[in-house]
């Protein structure tokens, strides 16, 4: 790496209209995107919420005032007090500590789904779009079948078959959420497969897999990232829904949806037990929605 | 015969083929899900003290000794004849169960979609006419908020606020306890049954019980309907006929609500049909919270008692309704929009 000049000229280096290297051009593009993104106040709030989720998850044992599994039956269903900021649940466990540790589960679910479903969709969509013909027809038919199912119901059926648990919930969500990515990647592929630079690569003797991997997939990434961020709110809600129905994370894991289910019996008297985890789900999924909206404005200005 | 009819025929054939293929895939998926269940269906029937002979006999009766594709063929034929197996929980045919509980879901989703459209369309129109203004931002933000809250949590909080604290609405269930079973379930839709029987008290009770779950479910579709209305409206307001109407001196209200909105009616209908389909899905969680005896509650209750026939049968029916609604929105679009013909 070349040494960057001292500030404030690094800004000039980034914003120059005559970049000297590919890296400089890329960083300059990223910088321009960041500048546009930064002006969007809502998107910045979203980014802060998502970053806060990551920090809380990383530092959970340090931040939590109590152990998430420590029961104290003498102090069960206590309203919020100085000792327990968000009150205690039916086993006298500190709700705040459980929420903080639950951030790890939420982040894990989001990360696993975000790393699997878009990748599956990317591969299927680009291959279908590039190959065309019967490969395209067959792959898109499969995609349509999965799209024809309501997501939550299909996830329910999968979890019913695989057995409840957080891993199976992740698998079920990933299986049900790849089709829109495949559609998107295919549409992007169709618009670029006849471009001159693809023909040039082919004439130079590049193989099909090489063109798909090296030339088509990178161009699909931007729109897939936006779509993934926007979908993460839905993933969080589906995972919480599965947890609420008792099909996701099993007790005593502090999964937010399962915590709402546990507080359901007492919701009319001890409302905080169910209200607090729901608030956490709401804030985090709002964060992803705001972030996704902002990213869409920066990366994909066509879509209103 | 006009020249366009062969094209219309090919198109219809293509549509039928695509729907048939999707249905086939749907049945294949539920079949495969049923095969990966770790529960041994033979053991579930004969118990673990049965002899090897009994076990083998039941196994071949269920067709489990056949190759997988033969098993799938049996399943396919059975499903096409309306045989979804027997529910372990209710020991009745799954299809009968599903048909019995489905009207409750239909009632909930229908009222929800009416609420969603009644709030979403005006919100979208206002957002479009005030594009970039504070009203647009507020509507967008409200939409995001509605889309970020878990629906079962909203349901619980709604019960807490409007039932326990304010006492505006009744608690979970479809009618007040003392009205239950009073009216003959002719259609399965509580409000209509009460009207048919001439029981206005029961009707009001049923309507009261419907308000909160349907509003919360409807809220879910408001954001989507409002966003689509906004973008359709923005397209229309750019057109020349709008300028013409304004130049002619028509009032802004008439231009927006009559001319522009009238021209987006067709795409809006398809949007509403699509959100109707997503509401069926949202009803699973809503029904659980509100003890609403519909298809969603049926599927979740069957899940918790490992009643796979009922789960897969219910899933299949929801999938078929989903495909049906998508097809309907497609057909409506072609029927109502002369340009799509």
């Amino acid at each position: 790496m070349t040494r960057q000049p001292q500030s404030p000229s690094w800004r000039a280096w980034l914003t120059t209209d005559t970049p000297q290297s590919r890296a400089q051009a890329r960083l300059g593009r990223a910088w321009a995107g960041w500048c546009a993104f930064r002006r969007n106040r809502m998107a910045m709030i979203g980014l802060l919420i998502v970053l806060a989720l990551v920090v809380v998850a990383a530092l959970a044992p340090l931040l939590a005032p109590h152990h998430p599994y420590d029961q104290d039956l003498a102090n069960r269903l206590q309203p919020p007090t100085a000792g327990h900021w968000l009150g205690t649940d039916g086993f006298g466990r500190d709700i705040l500590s459980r929420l903080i540790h639950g951030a790890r589960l939420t982040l894990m679910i989001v990360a696993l789904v975000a790393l699997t479903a878009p990748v599956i969709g990317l591969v299927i969509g680009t291959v279908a779009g590039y190959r065309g013909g019967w490969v395209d027809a067959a792959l898109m038919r499969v995609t349509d079948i999965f799209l024809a199912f309501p997501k939550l119901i299909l996830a329910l059926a999968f979890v019913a078959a695989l057995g409840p648990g957080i891993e199976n919930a992740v698998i079920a969500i990933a299986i049900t959420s790849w089709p829109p990515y495949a559609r998107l990647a295919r549409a992007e592929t169709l618009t670029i497969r006849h471009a001159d630079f693809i023909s040039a690569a082919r004439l130079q003797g590049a193989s099909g897999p090489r063109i798909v991997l090296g030339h088509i997939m990178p161009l699909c990434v931007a729109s897939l990232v936006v779509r993934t961020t926007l979908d993460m709110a839905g993933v969080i809600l589906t995972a919480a829904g599965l947890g609420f129905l008792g099909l996701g994370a099993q007790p005593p894991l502090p999964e937010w949806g399962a915590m709402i289910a546990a507080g359901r019996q007492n919701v009319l008297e001890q409302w905080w037990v169910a209200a607090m985890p729901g608030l956490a789900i709401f804030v985090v999924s709002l964060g992803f929605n705001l972030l996704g909206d902002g990213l869409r404005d920066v990366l994909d200005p066509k879509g209103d | 015969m006009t020249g366009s009819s062969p094209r219309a025929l090919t198109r219809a054939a293509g549509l039928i083929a695509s729907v048939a293929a999707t249905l086939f895939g749907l049945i294949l998926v539920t079949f495969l899900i049923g095969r990966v269940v770790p529960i041994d269906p033979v053991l579930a029937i004969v118990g673990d003290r049965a002899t090897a002979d009994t076990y083998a006999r039941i196994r071949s009766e269920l067709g489990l000794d056949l190759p997988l594709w033969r098993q799938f063929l049996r399943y396919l034929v059975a499903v096409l004849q309306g045989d979804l197996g027997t529910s372990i929980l209710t020991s009745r045919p799954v299809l009968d169960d599903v048909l019995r509980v489905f009207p409750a879901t239909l009632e909930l989703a229908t009222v929800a979609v009416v609420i969603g459209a009644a709030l979403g369309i005006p919100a979208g129109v206002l957002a479009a006419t005030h594009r970039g203004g504070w009203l647009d931002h507020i509507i967008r933000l409200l939409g995001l908020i509605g889309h970020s809250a878990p629906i079962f949590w909203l349901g619980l909080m709604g019960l807490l606020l409007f039932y326990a604290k304010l006492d505006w609405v009744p608690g979970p269930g479809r009618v007040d306890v003392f009205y239950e079973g009073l009216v003959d379930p002719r259609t399965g839709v509580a409000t209509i049954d009460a009207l048919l029987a001439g029981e206005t008290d029961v009707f009001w009770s049923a309507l009261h019980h419907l308000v909160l779950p349907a509003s919360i479910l409807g809220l879910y579709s408001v954001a989507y309907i409002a966003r689509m209305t906004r973008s359709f409206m923005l397209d229309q307001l750019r057109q020349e006929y709008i300028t013409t109407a304004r130049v002619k001196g028509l009032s802004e209200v008439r231009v927006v609500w009559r001319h522009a909105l009238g021209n987006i009616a067709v795409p809006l209908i398809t949007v509403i049909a699509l959100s109707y389909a997503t509401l069926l899905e949202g009803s699973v969680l809503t029904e659980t919270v509100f003890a609403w005896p519909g298809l969603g509650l049926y599927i979740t209750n069957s899940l918790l008692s490992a009643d796979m026939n009922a789960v897969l049968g219910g899933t299949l029916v929801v999938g078929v309704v989903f495909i049906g609604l998508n097809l309907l929105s497609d057909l409506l679009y072609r029927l109502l929009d002369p340009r799509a013909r």
Side-chain angles (χ1 to χ4, degrees):
Chain A
M1 243 181 84
T2 54
R3 266 190 64 215
Q4 290 181 13
Q6 293 302 303
S7 66
S9 49
W10 61 267
R11 190 173 296 208
W13 183 80
L14 277 172
T15 52
T16 178
D17 49 8
T18 50
Q20 301 299 312
S21 66
R22 188 187 281 199
Q24 186 183 1
R26 282 199 182 142
L27 282 173
R29 286 274 308 147
W31 173 255
W34 166 246
C35 286
F37 183 83
R38 211 173 40 175
R39 276 195 297 276
N40 186 338
R41 206 180 303 153
M42 286 297 159
M44 283 304 281
I45 294 175
L47 181 65
L48 284 180
I49 293 174
V50 173
L51 286 178
L53 174 76
V54 175
V55 170
V56 167
L59 304 178
L62 299 175
L63 292 173
H66 299 266
H67 192 276
Y69 297 160
D70 272 356
Q71 300 191 3
D72 178 8
L73 292 175
N75 280 316
R76 57 194 292 272
L77 298 172
Q78 291 296 305
T81 57
H84 300 284
W85 288 1
L86 300 181
T88 60
D89 70 2
F91 292 100
R93 295 174 297 200
D94 182 49
I95 292 178
L96 177 63
S97 306
R98 288 178 65 73
L99 284 185
I100 290 174
H101 280 269
R104 294 188 152 187
L105 294 174
T106 302
L107 196 64
M108 185 188 90
I109 294 169
V110 166
L112 285 177
V113 175
L115 287 176
T116 49
V119 175
I120 302 172
L122 181 65
V123 171
I124 290 181
T126 47
V127 168
Y130 183 70
R131 286 293 301 272
W134 67 269
V135 176
D136 183 28
L139 287 177
M140 282 304 111
R141 182 51 51 207
V142 174
T143 309
D144 282 348
I145 289 166
F146 275 87
L147 274 176
F149 263 115
K151 249 164 91 172
L152 181 68
I153 310 247
L154 186 58
L156 278 181
F158 270 112
V159 177
L162 300 170
I166 197 160
E167 300 86 0
N168 290 343
V170 168
I171 294 174
I173 295 174
I175 288 177
T176 53
S177 38
W178 63 266
Y181 303 112
R183 274 282 183 87
L184 190 60
R186 176 176 175 268
E188 296 265 326
T189 308
L190 287 182
T191 61
I192 52 179
R193 73 185 245 218
H194 293 302
D196 288 344
F197 72 95
I198 299 288
S199 312
R202 200 180 302 138
L203 286 173
Q204 284 175 341
S207 63
R210 194 193 162 94
I211 290 175
V212 169
L213 270 172
H215 297 277
I216 293 180
M217 280 189 184
L219 288 173
C220 299
V221 167
S223 48
L224 277 182
V225 166
V226 173
R227 182 71 204 246
T228 308
T229 317
L230 278 170
D231 283 353
M232 282 310 112
V235 167
I236 291 172
L237 293 182
T238 310
L242 289 175
F244 178 71
L245 294 174
L247 296 167
Q250 297 298 300
L253 278 180
E255 197 273 322
W256 295 345
M259 286 173 71
I260 298 180
R264 192 180 155 193
Q265 279 84 28
N266 324 80
V267 70
L268 299 185
E269 297 85 29
Q270 288 86 23
W271 53 268
W272 56 89
V273 183
M276 299 307 177
L279 211 55
I281 298 171
F282 169 63
V283 169
V284 170
S285 92
L286 184 65
F288 275 103
N289 269 330
L290 291 172
L291 179 64
D293 256 21
L295 278 181
R296 180 173 51 189
D297 291 346
V298 172
L299 293 176
D300 182 22
K302 296 165 289 184
D304 181 26
Chain B
M1 279 268 176
T2 57
S4 70
S5 59
R7 217 182 63 196
L9 267 180
T10 356
R11 218 190 248 171
L15 197 64
I16 291 169
S18 120
V19 168
T22 313
L23 272 177
F24 179 81
L26 196 71
I27 296 169
L28 182 63
V29 169
T30 49
F31 170 77
L32 290 176
I33 291 177
R35 290 307 107 168
V36 297
V37 182
I39 309 164
D40 184 344
V42 183
L43 221 52
I45 293 173
V46 299
D48 51 3
R49 269 185 278 175
T51 59
D53 273 357
T54 330
Y55 185 89
R57 188 166 52 78
I58 299 289
R59 193 173 140 83
S60 81
E61 260 174 38
L62 291 175
L64 292 171
D65 51 347
L66 298 171
L68 204 60
W69 68 271
R70 289 274 308 272
Q71 289 187 37
F72 173 62
L73 223 56
R74 271 174 73 134
Y75 178 74
L76 185 68
V77 170
V79 166
L80 291 179
Q81 288 170 347
D83 176 12
L84 299 177
T86 308
S87 156
I88 298 171
L89 201 62
T90 63
S91 29
R92 286 153 44 105
V94 170
L95 190 68
D96 288 4
D97 277 349
V98 168
L99 289 179
R100 188 170 43 84
V101 296
F102 193 63
T105 301
L106 205 63
E107 185 183 28
L108 185 63
T110 306
V111 177
V113 87
V114 169
I115 294 174
L119 293 176
I121 293 174
V125 172
L126 287 176
T129 51
H130 295 74
R131 187 187 189 183
W134 58 271
L135 201 58
D136 187 16
H137 286 300
I138 287 181
I139 288 169
R140 183 174 169 181
L141 192 65
L142 285 179
L144 273 178
I145 289 174
H147 229 84
S148 304
I151 194 164
F152 51 96
W153 179 71
L154 280 182
L156 286 174
M157 294 301 112
L159 277 176
L160 172 68
L161 183 64
F162 297 111
Y163 165 60
K165 302 279 181 219
L166 298 170
D167 200 20
W168 287 359
V169 296
R174 258 180 118 189
V175 287
D176 287 333
V177 180
F178 42 89
Y179 288 133
E180 232 159 87
L182 204 67
V183 174
D184 184 30
R186 252 186 283 181
T187 61
V189 178
T191 43
I192 294 181
D193 283 340
L195 281 182
L196 286 178
E199 298 274 359
T200 41
D201 286 357
V202 184
F203 171 75
W204 285 116
S205 171
L207 202 61
H208 249 107
H209 278 266
L210 197 54
V211 172
L212 187 61
S215 306
I216 287 185
L217 190 56
L219 218 55
Y220 200 64
S221 62
V222 169
Y224 176 63
I225 294 178
R227 201 178 58 224
M228 298 309 285
T229 309
R230 177 180 181 274
S231 99
F232 293 152
M233 273 309 266
L234 286 178
D235 278 349
Q236 291 297 321
L237 292 175
R238 275 187 218 114
Q239 308 268 333
E240 282 179 358
Y241 77 91
I242 294 289
T243 319
T244 314
R246 282 185 180 141
V247 169
K248 263 166 54 184
L250 289 185
S251 71
E252 193 60 25
V253 174
R254 212 179 152 81
V255 169
V256 171
W257 294 91
R258 196 63 181 272
H259 291 243
L261 191 61
N263 273 321
I264 63 166
V266 173
L268 269 187
I269 287 171
T270 62
V271 163
I272 290 170
L274 287 181
S275 55
Y276 200 36
T278 51
L279 287 187
L280 282 178
E281 176 178 33
S283 68
V284 172
L285 291 163
T286 317
E287 285 176 8
T288 312
V289 170
F290 287 96
W292 195 264
L295 191 55
L297 196 64
Y298 178 73
I299 292 179
T300 43
N301 280 343
S302 314
L303 263 175
L304 297 177
S305 42
D307 187 351
M308 279 316 281
N309 278 346
V311 173
L312 294 178
T315 308
L316 201 58
V317 170
V318 175
V320 169
V321 174
F322 212 73
I323 295 175
L325 282 169
N326 277 308
L327 182 67
L328 186 73
S329 85
D330 200 30
L331 288 178
L332 273 177
Y333 187 79
R334 290 180 194 196
L335 205 68
L336 296 176
D337 192 338
R339 283 166 303 181
R341 261 180 227 149

